[in-house]
Amino acid sequence: LDPEYVSALFDGYSSRFESELVGVLGYTGHSLLYAALQKALKQLGKSPLSVKKIIDLGCGTGLLGEIVANEMPWVEVSGADLSQRMVEISRERKSNKERNVYASVSNEEAVEYLSNLEAQSVDCIIASDVVNYIGDISNMLEESSKCLIKNGLVGFTAESYEGSNTDNGLRLLPNGRFGHSRSYINNVAILKGFEVLVWEGCVLRQQKNVDVLGASIILKKI
């Protein structure tokens, strides 16, 4: 989707973002993605204490960042979001220890932000409710690979799309968001030097009282 459209959409949505997304639509992607991250660390035999720096792409008002800040307070969390208003809100967000959730928050598009990070400087990149607005994840994974440490992780939620014989498994859905098939994500991950470590099918939200199916996904850099 066009970045200017997404930015304007969420600028206008910012004041009621959490009450509608979580309260009305029952969105749980942020907590499901955090759980998937912990599962990935356990599978790798890595202590959460080994994680020092996390990037929260499309951080919004800070729902996911706050979970990380509360549960992993030793981690430096930096965020990026297209919406200036969302950035302003997340910069003010506090953890349960009354500390800033984010060390910094940038008003940038995800791939542009990643491209400006130092090589091999990040342990983990997370993105809740983001790739369904980006669509093609190729560039995101390419830039993620550059800034991640060896065996670094990328985690994101994706809305389900079964795919067909006439497409590559990526489609703009009737709800205005992109859907991704499992084969599409697998193929792009391999192409960009990642492997799927965790794939947890889930209900991400409600839309018109119907479950929106998707997955919480963790990729490992190889």
Side-chain angles (χ1 to χ4, degrees), residues 200-218:
E200 295 282 333
C202 60
V203 175
L204 290 171
R205 70 171 87 201
Q206 300 288 307
Q207 183 140 2
K208 297 180 180 178
N209 296 316
V210 176
D211 289 346
V212 176
L213 302 179
S216 298
I217 303 151
I218 306 291

Side-chain angles (χ1 to χ4, degrees), residues 30-58:
H30 52 300
S31 54
L32 293 171
L33 184 55
Y34 179 78
L37 173 59
Q38 295 305 308
K39 182 175 182 178
L41 291 172
K42 187 174 182 179
Q43 282 185 208
L44 292 171
K46 294 180 67 174
S47 166
L49 291 169
S50 67
V51 179
K52 304 301 181 186
K53 186 170 183 178
I54 288 179
I55 301 298
D56 184 5
L57 291 180

Side-chain angles (χ1 to χ4, degrees), residues 9 31 48 61-62 66 68-69 73 83 85 91 100 103 109 119 132 142 145 157 161-162 166 175 184 195 204:
L9 174 69
S31 54
T61 57
E66 183 176 351
V68 176
S83 164
R85 182 62 188 133
R91 282 175 178 164
N100 288 338
E109 186 270 335
N132 42 303
E142 184 169 335
S145 181
T157 58
Y161 169 60
E162 293 304 318
T166 60
N175 61 25
Y184 166 84
E195 65 177 351
L204 290 171

Side-chain angles (χ1 to χ4, degrees), residues 76-87:
E76 177 188 311
V77 186
S78 296
D81 201 278
L82 270 174
S83 164
Q84 178 60 44
R85 182 62 188 133
M86 293 286 199
V87 167

Side-chain angles (χ1 to χ4, degrees), residues 131-180:
V131 304
N132 42 303
Y133 294 100
I134 291 177
D136 185 358
I137 62 172
S138 298
N139 291 338
M140 184 187 84
L141 291 187
E142 184 169 335
E143 294 300 333
S144 294
S145 181
K146 294 175 185 177
C147 65
L148 281 170
I149 63 170
K150 182 180 179 181
N151 297 324
L153 303 176
V154 177
F156 54 90
T157 58
E159 292 189 24
S160 296
Y161 169 60
E162 293 304 318
S164 71
N165 294 329
T166 60
D167 62 35
N168 66 351
L170 171 67
R171 172 164 290 189
L172 185 61
L173 302 174
N175 61 25
R177 300 183 298 270
F178 285 98
H180 300 76

